[in-house]
Each structure stands twice: as structure tokens, then as C-alpha cells.
Amino acid sequence: MNNAPIGVFDSGVGGLTVAGEIMRQLPDESIVYFGDTARVPYGSKSKDTIITFSRQIVRFLKTKEVKAIVIACNTASAYALETIAKEVDIPVIGVIEPGAVTAGEATANGRIGVIATEGTISSGTYETVLKRINPSLQVFSKACPLFVPLVEEGLLYDPVTLEIADRYLYDLMSYDIDTLVLGCTHYPLIRRTIRKVVGDGITLVNPAYETAKALEKVLERGNILADGKGSLGNREVTHRFYVSDSAERFGKLARTILSRGIESVECVNIEQYTNNINYDTEGCSDEK
Ligand code: DGL
């Protein structure tokens, strides 16, 4: 059981920022990653839709016999974490609580900015969690919906991304914030561009670091930390990647983001993971 993989999912490549941090902090853990590339972005979809998508992905991950699940997506953490955590018999964690805790510790003046998808911002989850940590914190939020498609297009350092970041962040800068939460797992991938716009005086919070820490605690508590060894005592840590569309394209971007080789990316017809467990093993097609 201990060497069973961790299931990690997101709407696309954003969750790789969390998966990469898990690989770094917990090198003995194997990962099964799912990126819902056919249905990205999640940020503009309704709560019900995100719960439906998350349930399908969790059913898929369970067929891979994962021992815990990390919802490496703020939107799905805001909308579906509570529901999913009640429905499954393995530990499930999201990224919002760890990100909020880090921000609460990082701020000196108590003024925190949060940038995220429309869904995450309108759910008010960051604000709720930050106020629970410290009721005197002031939170200033801004939805940045174009960031996700820019990242999925691989335009991480493009002038167009800088121009859009400038427009989104200009107003937020007038609130005298000293800490800015990158409240969408795609955003750390453009942090250099964000840094250019906000300057050096603001702490950028990437929830991935604390999420990996939180995962470690959960695994420790459940006594399910991996030792990374196979039955013969040999090292056996494997990371597998699945998407709902365009495996090749995902693979290219994932290799750049993780700065490591990825053996294969498989395409899965995720919508068939709807109710029962008689799944047809046929994947989806990469053909255009
Ligand atoms: N990366 C996800 C998040 O953290 C989803 C972004 C999207 O698909 O809109 O919110």
C-alpha cells in the first residue's frame, strides 16, 4: 500500500507546478497525473460542472489504485474538495488552505492580494480561509482569466503575456499589498512576468510548496509514506501522465515545465468514468 501512487489532477499543465514540488520534496512517491486538457479552462465553469469533472477524474485515478489525491487546481479545490473528500475512502487535499496559510505567514502589513480564476475568486474561498487564519487580514482579489490559455499555449515569456499581466495587475498594485497569492496552479509558470509587473517589493506565494508539505503530513499520519522500493529492494518510483486530449502537445510542455523526461502521456476518454466501474479501457484519440 505504501508504494501506491499519489493521484494529482488539474485542468491542464498547471498542476505540474504541484506535481514537480511533490517530486522534489517526496522523491520516493510515485505520481499518477491527470490533466483535463479537453475541458480546460475550469475557471469559467460552474460549480456543478467542476464537481462532475472532478468526480470523473477521481474515479479514473482510483482505477490506478492511488493511495491519496491532490487536487492540484484551485478552482476544483474551491468547488469540489469538500464533496470529493466526503465521497472517497482515501485522503484528499487541495491547494487553497496551504496557499492561504503561507500568505498569512508571509504578510507584514496584513494586506494580501489574490489572483486566480473567475471561479476561485467568486467562490470567495481564499478570503474565507485567510480571515479564518487571521480576521484582521485584508484581502484584495482579481480574476485573471486569460492567464490560463496563455500558459496552455506555452506563451510563458511572451510580450503578450506581459501586456495582459500589466492590465490585470495595475489596479491591484494601488492597494498597498505586500503579498500576492498565485491562486491558480498555472500562474507560477508565468511568475517571472508577474514579477516584472509587481516589482521586487511583493512576496509571491506559490501554494505548491506548502501543498507538498501538507501531503507529507497526511501520508505520515496515515502511515502510508512510500519508501520508493520495489519487491526486490530495487528503486521503483514511476510517474505516469494522462490527459483527456492532445497527449503529444501536453508532453512537450510538461517536459519543459518539469525539466525532466516523461516516458509517455496517455490519452483517456474521461467522460466514460461517470458512474459505475465497468470502464472500457480504450483511450481517446490524438487524431485531428
Ligand atoms: N489551474 C487551475 C486552477 O488552479 C485551473 C485553471 C483553469 O482551468 O481555468 O484554478
Side-chain angles (χ1 to χ4, degrees):
M1 170 67 177
N2 290 5
N3 286 320
I6 311 287
V8 179
F9 78 89
D10 178 45
S11 62
V13 295
L16 293 172
T17 57
V18 179
E21 193 54 39
I22 296 171
M23 290 172 194
R24 207 179 62 78
Q25 287 187 35
L26 303 169
D28 290 336
E29 299 296 337
S30 294
I31 291 175
V32 175
Y33 185 91
F34 182 82
D36 201 356
T37 48
R39 305 186 292 197
V40 64
Y42 276 13
S44 50
K45 297 189 170 70
S46 70
K47 180 172 181 173
D48 282 353
T49 300
I50 299 303
I51 291 177
T52 302
F53 290 176
S54 301
R55 280 186 172 135
Q56 290 170 348
I57 297 167
V58 165
R59 282 188 198 110
F60 164 71
L61 291 173
K62 293 271 283 180
T63 68
K64 302 293 168 196
E65 294 179 346
V66 296
K67 63 181 172 186
I69 289 175
V70 178
I71 304 186
C73 170
N74 288 265
T75 315
S77 298
Y79 283 157
L81 172 62
E82 217 182 297
T83 307
I84 298 293
K86 276 188 215 142
E87 291 176 354
V88 296
D89 53 358
I90 53 174
V92 185
I93 65 167
V95 284
I96 293 186
E97 184 94 27
V101 170
T102 316
E105 284 166 0
T107 184
N109 71 0
R111 300 171 74 83
I112 297 174
V114 176
I115 52 171
T117 65
E118 285 168 310
T120 302
I121 297 295
S122 67
S123 76
T125 312
Y126 267 105
E127 191 152 2
T128 308
V129 179
L130 282 164
K131 296 261 187 207
R132 199 194 320 127
I133 293 168
N134 178 354
S136 70
L137 291 175
Q138 282 182 278
V139 184
F140 304 90
S141 304
K142 174 80 184 169
C144 305
L146 287 174
F147 281 170
V148 169
L150 288 167
V151 169
E152 290 289 328
E153 285 300 320
L155 298 172
L156 306 184
Y157 311 106
D158 198 275
V160 77
T161 310
L162 182 63
E163 165 71 28
I164 287 168
D166 203 38
R167 287 201 204 184
Y168 278 150
L169 304 176
Y170 187 80
D171 286 349
L172 207 53
M173 289 308 104
S174 63
Y175 294 114
D176 190 30
I177 56 169
D178 70 350
T179 303
L180 180 63
V181 181
L182 307 180
C184 168
T185 52
H186 282 73
Y187 298 179
L189 298 169
I190 52 166
R191 68 181 166 275
R192 262 206 261 162
T193 304
I194 294 171
R195 171 65 73 203
K196 266 194 200 160
V197 176
V198 302
D200 290 332
I202 289 183
T203 305
L204 297 182
V205 172
N206 170 6
Y209 179 83
E210 283 302 326
T211 302
K213 283 261 159 302
L215 173 66
E216 184 176 17
K217 276 190 209 137
V218 165
L219 298 178
E220 248 166 24
R221 228 180 293 135
N223 207 15
I224 50 172
L225 269 167
D227 64 6
K229 291 197 181 114
S231 50
L232 302 171
N234 51 319
R235 187 153 171 80
E236 213 173 84
V237 178
T238 50
H239 303 310
R240 284 172 289 158
F241 298 84
Y242 298 88
V243 289
S244 47
D245 199 6
S246 307
E248 206 185 307
R249 184 187 156 89
F250 176 91
K252 264 193 214 145
L253 201 48
R255 282 178 195 98
T256 314
I257 291 168
L258 293 172
S259 314
R260 62 190 293 152
I262 285 178
E263 271 168 38
S264 70
V265 182
E266 254 179 70
C267 209
V268 171
N269 178 0
I270 196 68
E271 282 177 8
Q272 71 177 325
Y273 290 85
T274 297
N275 253 326
N276 35 46
I277 27 157
N278 287 328
Y279 306 119
D280 164 1
T281 49
E282 226 174 84
C284 58
S285 158
D286 235 1
E287 284 167 26
K288 299 245 155 58

